[in-house]
Amino acid sequence: MSIDATPSCILVTGGTGFIGSHTVVVLLEQGHEVVIVDDLSNSSEKVLDRIDQIVGEEAAERLTFVRADVADREALDAIFDEFDIDAVIHFAGYKAVGESVQKPIEYYSNNIGNTLVLVDAMRDHGCKSIIFSSSATVYGDPDELPLTESSPKKPATNPYGWTKWMIEEILGSLVVADPEWNVVLLRYFNPIGAHPSGLMGEDPKGIPNNLLPYVAQVAVGRRDAVHVFGNDYDTPDGTGVRDYIHVMDLAEGHAAALSWMMGRNGCEVFNLGTGNGTSVLQIIEAFSTACGHDLPYVIEPRRAGDVTANWADCTKAREQLGWKAKFNIADMCRDSWNWQSHNPNGYEA
Ligand code: WQD
């Protein structure tokens, strides 16, 4: 274990989810105390045992789990009363793009509503430091690549994207109203991979919407073939290009942002990506190498709302946070396969 930050007490909303759980591991390994608040609506309680196994007994004692909805103000008050929370990392929210188009009321009310309840509780308890899980989706269809933090925000193409877009604005407004607030907006590119132990990874319920969990389920035999959404884009092989980032790099990015923000005020945005673009076909090829057999795929029409390509300029995170992604696509596919092959049904037995 390495302690490279002043130990603090961090409230992590959505801490049993994919990115949240990996971030909790890193925070515990760095010596922090962590309180997870999660209603388990899209995650498994088994994640908590896996976190304990990875970090070991001593660090696990610094973890508290509270099963509650982030919109439950009484539950939040009880947490802030009991713990001296230094900062909040806010992951909790609905995240399925397609579902958000079908259920806009649920998405707006859950994602935006829970954030408002959270920051109201934070203000009342004098905790004004928050890191928010934002997304490269706020850049929309980019005019220029790579995307820097000063690239314009573009209209979102679905309610999920709008919730990220608006929560960024809401948190920015807090700083304008009260300069004591300390807000960090982390814009993730495409998080994939899993903990290298194979004990934690992405476990979507139902048919995966995102490429990597789908590819992993094809590799393990749960699905027949990968559906490639369009091969007529203006990219080298015609398929969509994204900046995939290992979830452990992302987790380290949160820890770096946390150490950086302590003692500061204001609102800062950071891209968290690798700076490299990879196509859908390149992903299928890299995953085939990782799992040791070719993966069948079929070309389908483009998916509505998809952009051709995006990747990040991560200079700002490197210069200011001292953070840089370490893992490449082969590492991401290896760890994703390690997780999927050892846990073919995710956290379910
Ligand atoms: C990647 C590429 C698809 C599935 C979204 C959100 C973002 C973030 C991550 C989530 C694209 C292609 C995909 C498939 C395919 N939020 N694809 N077959 O759309 O870049 O980002 O998820 O929680 O905010 O917008 O990610 O993994 O869905 O797609 O060909 O079965 O793979 O067209 O080019 P996306 P993705």
Side-chain angles (χ1 to χ4, degrees):
M1 186 187 79
S2 68
I3 297 181
D4 49 16
T6 312
S8 316
C9 183
I10 313 301
L11 176 63
V12 180
T13 77
T16 61
F18 175 44
I19 306 170
S21 58
H22 290 79
T23 302
V24 166
V25 162
V26 169
L27 295 175
L28 291 170
E29 286 177 341
Q30 291 192 353
H32 298 293
E33 187 176 351
V34 175
V35 181
I36 293 177
V37 58
D38 199 311
D39 65 359
L40 302 177
S41 59
N42 193 27
S43 59
S44 165
E45 199 162 7
K46 291 186 185 128
V47 171
L48 298 165
D49 297 330
R50 303 293 177 91
I51 293 175
D52 288 359
Q53 275 187 59
I54 292 170
V55 302
E57 220 174 300
E58 182 272 330
E61 281 174 12
R62 284 184 269 106
L63 175 62
T64 304
F65 172 63
V66 177
R67 182 172 184 169
D69 185 335
V70 177
D72 179 345
R73 178 60 198 256
E74 280 178 23
L76 292 184
D77 284 337
I79 292 170
F80 282 105
D81 285 339
E82 183 177 348
F83 297 90
D84 198 4
I85 305 287
D86 296 294
V88 176
I89 307 183
H90 180 34
F91 293 104
Y94 295 159
K95 62 168 188 176
V97 171
E99 184 184 63
S100 79
V101 177
Q102 304 307 321
K103 297 182 173 175
I105 299 176
E106 284 78 2
Y107 270 70
Y108 288 121
S109 103
N110 183 67
N111 291 9
I112 296 177
N114 80 10
T115 304
L116 291 172
V117 173
L118 174 66
V119 291
D120 191 39
M122 288 175 67
R123 176 180 58 180
D124 286 357
H125 293 271
C127 173
K128 295 182 180 174
S129 295
I130 183 167
I131 296 179
F132 175 62
S133 284
S134 191
S135 168
T137 198
V138 303
Y139 295 119
D141 201 355
D143 298 323
E144 264 187 310
L145 291 168
L147 288 154
T148 71
E149 290 78 356
S150 48
S151 298
K153 282 173 80 169
K154 295 271 199 77
T157 53
N158 54 73
Y160 159 80
W162 276 120
T163 67
K164 295 293 176 193
W165 208 105
M166 289 195 268
I167 294 167
E168 284 198 350
E169 299 300 314
I170 290 167
L171 297 179
S173 302
L174 299 183
V175 177
V176 174
D178 173 0
E180 281 182 8
W181 275 92
N182 188 5
V183 173
V184 173
L185 308 174
L186 298 179
R187 292 181 180 156
Y188 314 150
F189 281 68
N190 288 53
I192 64 167
H195 192 272
S197 63
L199 288 168
M200 290 193 328
E202 191 169 9
D203 181 22
K205 296 213 180 6
I207 302 171
N209 302 299
N210 298 116
L211 179 63
L212 255 290
Y214 202 103
V215 169
Q217 291 191 8
V218 171
V220 85
R222 264 172 82 177
R223 314 218 171 255
D224 292 340
V226 183
H227 298 265
V228 176
F229 299 144
N231 67 347
D232 57 351
Y233 284 106
D234 183 16
T235 61
D237 65 18
T239 65
V241 168
R242 297 289 183 276
D243 185 343
Y244 296 93
I245 173 168
H246 197 296
V247 65
M248 289 308 295
D249 276 329
L250 205 55
E252 295 282 352
H254 289 75
L258 192 64
S259 332
W260 175 86
M261 80 191 295
M262 290 300 176
R264 285 175 193 265
N265 308 103
C267 179
E268 283 291 340
V269 185
F270 294 98
N271 284 340
L272 296 183
T274 63
N276 304 311
T278 305
S279 75
V280 176
L281 293 182
Q282 286 173 319
I283 287 286
I284 295 173
E285 197 185 323
F287 210 98
S288 300
T289 305
C291 73
H293 59 96
D294 282 346
L295 298 176
Y297 65 87
V298 285
I299 306 293
E300 304 277 357
R302 293 182 180 194
R303 183 173 68 178
D306 274 349
V307 301
T308 300
N310 71 9
W311 61 89
D313 180 318
C314 304
T315 312
K316 186 176 174 190
R318 192 182 65 237
E319 289 182 354
Q320 298 199 33
L321 306 181
W323 171 90
K324 190 175 181 299
K326 296 188 193 85
F327 295 106
N328 62 25
I329 291 287
D331 302 324
M332 300 180 214
C333 292
R334 176 202 61 214
D335 291 338
S336 177
W337 172 242
N338 187 32
W339 153 253
Q340 190 71 59
S341 55
H342 288 98
N343 306 269
N345 296 311
Y347 290 106
E348 295 313 311

